[in-house]
Amino acid sequence: MHQKKRPSGSAKPLFSFAVVADTHVNESDNISSSPFETNHLANERARFVFEDIALMDPQPKFVIHLGDIVHPMPALPTFMQAVDQFKEITRQLKCPLHVLPGNHDVGDKRIDWMPADQICDPHLEAYRKAFGKDYYSVDVDNIRCILINSLLINSGLGAEEEQKTWLENQIDSAANKRVFLFMHYPPFVYSETERGSYDNLDEPGRTWLVDLMKRPNVEASFAGHVHNFWYEQLKESDFYMLPSTAFLRHDYSEFYRVKPEIEFGRGDVAKFGYFIVDVFTDGHIAYPIRTMGVRTSATQKSLNRSVQYLTHPKSSDFNHVGVELRHTWTEVAQIPATGGVQEFGRKSARNDYPLLALWEMGAKLSKVTDQDALDTATRRRMQLLANMGHRFLLTSLGVPNANLQAVNLEQAGVMGIETNLSTSRFQANLSTLLNFKAQTQLKIFWCKIHTYDDSHYDGKHFSHFVKSGFTTEDLQTQASLIREALDSKAIDGITVRVESDQDLLIVAPLLKAFATTHNCQIVASLKLSGPSIAQSNDNEAALIEKVCAAMLFSKSSDSVQYIFDTFMDVDRGYYPRLAFIDRQFNPNLAANVFAHINSIFSHVKHIDIDTSRSQAGSHMTFSADGVTHQIHFGNADSISSKRKQLSNVSNMIDLTANGREQTPLHLGTSIASDDIQAHPETNAMLFRFN
């Protein structure tokens, strides 16, 4: 995962830097004072991370470590051994490394129930002897990076007041600079007013620090400590909380509705990682990098160079393809106290892992229920995300809720609303729809509810299910009804349902032709459920093929938007099905394919799919701004055989590579990959022709 490729055609940053948190390096490989086996692997995982950074091309300007550099605390005799290990591991870096202290490096925050050694002058002295200053700033061009010792806050130590005065002056004196602020402890995890816990800062230091983070020249703040991903915004300033490279704080596995796996969630390697931050003349993009728990031993040679394709809603130009967020995506969990670092009461935390997956996919377009726009907390999240390019299509049962007219939907990134109505109810509510459209200036899409469908009864079984959306057959048989609805000016387009077994190579041209003929917009609702309400649709190969097709077709017409009707796996209830993320909120292969296509073709202006040279289940041939490509689907043997037949291929990319251990994304002629062997029927290879 060494070379990081930004989306095609995206702006070149002024420079980039990496942010790493909570490496928890031990005194020796495979040895740890922690009872958890996951902790014993921290050194090898840190070694891989810094190897990954050291082999990046281009190189980051610098690396910042957010603390908990080592695992043994200063009072332990193994502290300096761990320090030496960390310095040896990071010796491979080719750029400056700036570190700041975490609670494992100088002691926990000062509070009477804290379970470990607390910060004190001797611990500070030990840290300074090992690493140097515990708070300082670094100026790079017009950027000021300020690293603070958050353990000093509320400590009562003499250095607390010194840092306070210094930090205020550093921000004040940077009036003409953009400030990036780095710390270990976040002032809060969920709310500025949350109660104190092991995971946050207490008052009065919390409010003081948050007020500084809200200063107009503070562009972003980064914190570690909690070993999970969160995103918040403080006025105009971005606030990122980073994952660890070593282990997950598995009390937050409470987010899951399935049983956590390795060590009760502590070893959920899909949530390990770090950040790369691209700095531009105006703004920045923070790319999360999942390391998947990959390890490099002290004697192991460097992995072969490989490529990781990065994308983000800020840099993506795929505006007409997205996902429907059926499950809650801003859920706030009450994390119970089970002992360890949290014994008293419950703490609130929002699950931001669905957001993380959307960012990694570069998915800008999401369909959400109108309830999300009416809920104050969720609408606020929509507003924050709209600032970085996210757009939302609301869906409502019946005519749109009149209360929507009282909220600022444009500020929340809402571009339209889908109204689910039967034909009779639609015709009876034309005036209401016209009035709503005039008041909100939103595009309205009619999603027809079918009041009767032959498929409810197959001669043996009867199934209760709701069916909405015009069918592809309706585009012919009910064209006059749709034309009449469009002429009424009450709608701008329609929603067409595309079943999981329908071939987009056939359906997409029909949708484009209908939209062109009737000068309307179409939302193509791509169904991931199978034909039976009682059977799971786990056909991963078909899903990957549909992802490729939908993304490519979305660049062939501005009149059709493709929205996959499920984002997270449905593993219970009706119509169970595979989707983009699993029930632990980790990406499936479909998410990786979406991200790779997004990054590779993001700024391509137009894509033409040659349906005459494409075949479902085999390959797709298309032209991207005049350059011919093919995507081949099949097992490793069939793709390898195809590669040998093609003499004019300039390169080949494994679109299904997902960064699992020892399975880096392959670019070039080699397709040997453990990931291919693990998923023999779910591979997609992109071929570019000379």
Side-chain angles (χ1 to χ4, degrees):
M1 296 193 296
H2 303 315
Q3 187 179 0
K4 313 299 179 187
K5 284 211 170 206
R6 275 64 171 178
S8 63
S10 60
K12 184 178 180 180
L14 298 174
F15 64 87
S16 303
F17 63 89
V19 188
V20 177
D22 297 275
T23 50
H24 286 264
V25 168
N26 301 301
E27 59 269 28
S28 179
D29 284 16
N30 301 311
I31 295 176
S32 177
S33 58
S34 170
F36 292 100
E37 181 61 28
T38 301
N39 282 63
H40 292 231
L41 306 175
N43 289 24
E44 292 186 346
R45 284 173 170 151
R47 190 175 289 110
F48 169 79
V49 167
F50 290 110
E51 174 189 70
D52 196 39
I53 296 170
L55 292 175
M56 281 184 196
D57 182 17
Q59 273 284 290
K61 194 89 167 182
F62 52 85
V63 179
I64 290 182
H65 195 302
L66 298 178
D68 278 4
I69 303 167
V70 298
H71 192 71
M73 288 183 147
L76 295 178
T78 53
F79 174 73
M80 283 308 301
Q81 291 176 257
V83 169
D84 291 340
Q85 281 287 309
F86 176 79
K87 291 181 177 180
E88 180 61 33
I89 287 171
T90 58
R91 199 182 306 278
Q92 60 189 311
L93 287 177
K94 301 172 185 175
C95 61
L97 170 65
H98 305 296
V99 302
L100 59 85
N103 53 299
H104 274 259
D105 308 315
V106 295
D108 281 327
K109 68 178 185 177
R110 285 282 184 98
I111 198 164
D112 56 5
W113 51 262
M114 194 54 64
D117 285 349
Q118 297 181 15
I119 185 171
C120 59
D121 286 326
H123 289 357
L124 282 172
E125 185 58 34
Y127 175 87
R128 291 165 183 162
K129 183 178 179 181
F131 295 108
K133 295 179 180 180
D134 53 313
Y135 61 88
Y136 55 99
S137 66
V138 178
D139 286 354
V140 181
D141 298 333
N142 195 41
I143 307 297
R144 174 163 293 178
C145 296
I146 303 177
L147 292 76
I148 68 170
N149 180 352
S150 57
L151 280 304
L152 285 175
I153 298 172
N154 300 322
S155 69
L157 298 175
E160 178 184 3
E161 195 62 33
E162 294 172 6
Q163 177 180 247
K164 181 177 180 181
T165 301
W166 172 85
L167 178 56
E168 291 172 349
N169 180 65
Q170 283 289 306
I171 296 176
D172 289 339
S173 64
N176 297 319
K177 291 182 179 289
R178 297 157 59 188
V179 172
F180 288 78
L181 190 57
F182 303 88
M183 66 199 73
H184 183 67
Y185 265 98
F188 65 89
V189 173
Y190 169 62
S191 166
E192 293 179 42
T193 59
E194 68 192 21
R195 65 194 291 266
S197 74
Y198 179 79
D199 296 338
N200 58 25
L201 292 176
D202 301 293
E203 295 292 2
R206 178 192 299 175
T207 296
W208 166 78
L209 181 57
V210 168
D211 286 346
L212 291 178
M213 293 164 67
K214 292 179 179 178
R215 292 280 189 91
N217 60 333
V218 177
E219 183 170 320
S221 299
F222 299 82
H225 182 62
V226 200
H227 293 223
N228 280 271
F229 166 81
W230 283 283
Y231 170 76
E232 191 50 79
Q233 198 172 77
L234 301 172
K235 287 191 174 179
E236 301 301 316
S237 177
D238 294 312
F239 180 27
Y240 306 95
M241 285 167 267
L242 271 70
S244 165
T245 66
F247 60 88
L248 190 73
R249 274 284 307 285
H250 52 305
D251 44 340
Y252 290 99
S253 296
E254 199 69 32
F255 289 149
Y256 310 162
R257 283 180 170 80
V258 293
K259 184 178 179 180
E261 297 174 358
I262 301 172
E263 290 198 297
F264 315 104
R266 194 176 185 88
D268 186 353
V269 296
K271 295 183 177 67
F272 297 6
Y274 67 99
F275 273 26
I276 295 174
V277 182
D278 284 354
V279 179
F280 300 89
T281 304
D282 181 19
H284 67 276
I285 298 178
Y287 291 106
I289 307 296
R290 294 187 197 249
T291 56
M292 309 302 290
V294 177
R295 313 196 308 268
T296 301
S297 72
T299 58
Q300 181 178 345
K301 293 183 179 180
S302 298
L303 295 174
N304 293 329
R305 287 179 179 269
S306 55
V307 180
Q308 184 172 17
Y309 288 85
L310 305 180
T311 188
H312 191 281
K314 283 186 177 181
S315 57
S316 171
D317 198 31
F318 273 91
N319 299 314
H320 303 296
V321 60
V323 294
E324 181 173 355
L325 306 180
R326 287 179 175 260
H327 296 85
T328 178
W329 57 283
T330 60
E331 184 174 31
V332 178
Q334 294 288 318
I335 309 299
T338 60
V341 298
Q342 193 71 29
E343 180 58 31
F344 312 106
R346 292 186 294 270
K347 56 190 177 188
S348 297
R350 183 185 55 251
N351 178 9
D352 276 355
Y353 281 106
L355 171 61
L356 176 64
L358 289 173
W359 280 6
E360 291 173 315
M361 291 167 59
K364 302 176 71 168
L365 178 61
S366 299
K367 184 196 286 191
V368 299
T369 173
D370 59 349
Q371 297 166 287
D372 287 346
L374 291 170
D375 179 77
T376 302
T378 307
R379 187 172 67 252
R380 177 180 175 273
R381 297 299 289 175
M382 293 169 66
Q383 291 168 348
L384 300 187
L385 301 182
N387 292 335
M388 59 176 62
H390 289 262
R391 291 295 177 264
F392 299 93
L393 174 67
L394 303 184
T395 182
S396 69
L397 175 59
V399 296
N401 191 316
N403 292 326
L404 289 169
Q405 298 179 38
V407 299
N408 191 332
L409 296 175
E410 181 180 6
Q411 190 179 61
V414 177
M415 46 70 65
I417 186 165
E418 175 188 83
T419 177
N420 291 267
L421 291 162
S422 64
T423 301
S424 60
R425 288 199 64 197
F426 173 80
Q427 293 170 336
N429 285 280
L430 281 177
S431 60
T432 303
L433 292 171
L434 284 165
N435 179 65
F436 181 86
K437 186 177 178 182
Q439 293 295 320
T440 63
Q441 298 298 305
L442 289 179
K443 292 181 179 179
I444 297 181
F445 299 86
W446 178 20
C447 187
K448 176 190 167 186
I449 293 179
H450 296 251
T451 54
Y452 176 77
D453 191 277
D454 291 338
S455 62
H456 278 95
Y457 183 62
D458 63 5
K460 184 177 181 181
H461 302 104
F462 179 82
S463 295
H464 290 86
F465 63 88
V466 177
K467 185 174 181 179
S468 62
F470 287 92
T471 65
T472 51
E473 292 78 12
D474 289 339
L475 298 181
Q476 289 185 335
T477 62
Q478 300 194 23
S480 59
L481 172 67
I482 298 170
R483 182 69 264 166
E484 182 181 338
L486 291 167
D487 290 341
S488 74
K489 305 299 182 184
I491 63 170
D492 299 273
I494 59 172
T495 296
V496 178
R497 61 182 294 126
V498 181
E499 306 296 347
S500 60
D501 60 354
Q502 288 187 279
D503 182 5
L504 276 184
L505 292 173
I506 297 173
V507 172
L510 295 177
L511 300 180
K512 180 179 178 180
F514 188 92
T516 301
T517 299
H518 294 275
N519 191 27
C520 69
Q521 298 282 312
I522 290 179
V523 173
S525 180
L526 307 179
K527 303 300 177 183
L528 300 189
S529 55
S532 171
I533 197 172
Q535 294 180 354
S536 180
N537 183 12
D538 298 325
N539 190 337
E540 191 171 53
L543 173 56
I544 286 173
E545 185 175 346
K546 186 152 287 186
V547 168
C548 293
M551 296 195 71
L552 298 178
F553 275 117
S554 78
K555 285 270 190 176
S556 69
S557 171
D558 292 338
S559 298
V560 185
Q561 301 182 77
Y562 296 87
I563 299 181
F564 289 88
D565 82 327
T566 314
F567 181 51
M568 184 162 71
D569 292 351
V570 177
D571 64 351
R572 63 207 70 188
Y574 306 110
Y575 286 115
R577 53 200 183 265
L578 187 70
F580 290 86
I581 61 174
D582 63 26
R583 293 310 295 256
Q584 293 185 14
F585 313 102
N586 296 326
N588 292 326
L589 290 184
N592 300 308
V593 172
F594 192 108
H596 293 166
I597 293 283
N598 197 327
S599 182
I600 295 166
F601 297 107
S602 187
H603 291 272
V604 167
K605 297 186 183 302
H606 188 79
I607 292 177
D608 282 314
I609 296 87
D610 188 343
T611 56
S612 67
R613 296 172 59 201
S614 303
Q615 181 180 338
S618 175
H619 61 276
M620 291 179 58
T621 304
F622 60 96
S623 171
D625 285 350
V627 179
T628 302
H629 300 74
Q630 280 187 345
I631 296 178
H632 284 260
F633 309 98
N635 59 33
D637 290 339
S638 66
I639 291 178
S640 179
S641 175
K642 185 65 179 178
R643 174 66 179 88
K644 294 175 182 177
Q645 298 172 23
L646 301 173
S647 59
N648 59 338
V649 174
S650 59
N651 62 39
M652 180 179 66
I653 300 168
D654 179 0
L655 298 174
T656 58
N658 66 351
R660 293 190 177 115
E661 286 208 15
Q662 308 305 327
T663 57
L665 192 153
H666 285 254
L667 175 66
T669 58
S670 171
I671 61 171
S673 167
D674 293 343
D675 199 45
I676 288 178
Q677 300 305 320
H679 302 270
E681 301 301 329
T682 55
N683 281 279
M685 286 286 184
L686 172 67
F687 295 80
R688 174 173 172 167
F689 291 86
N690 292 317

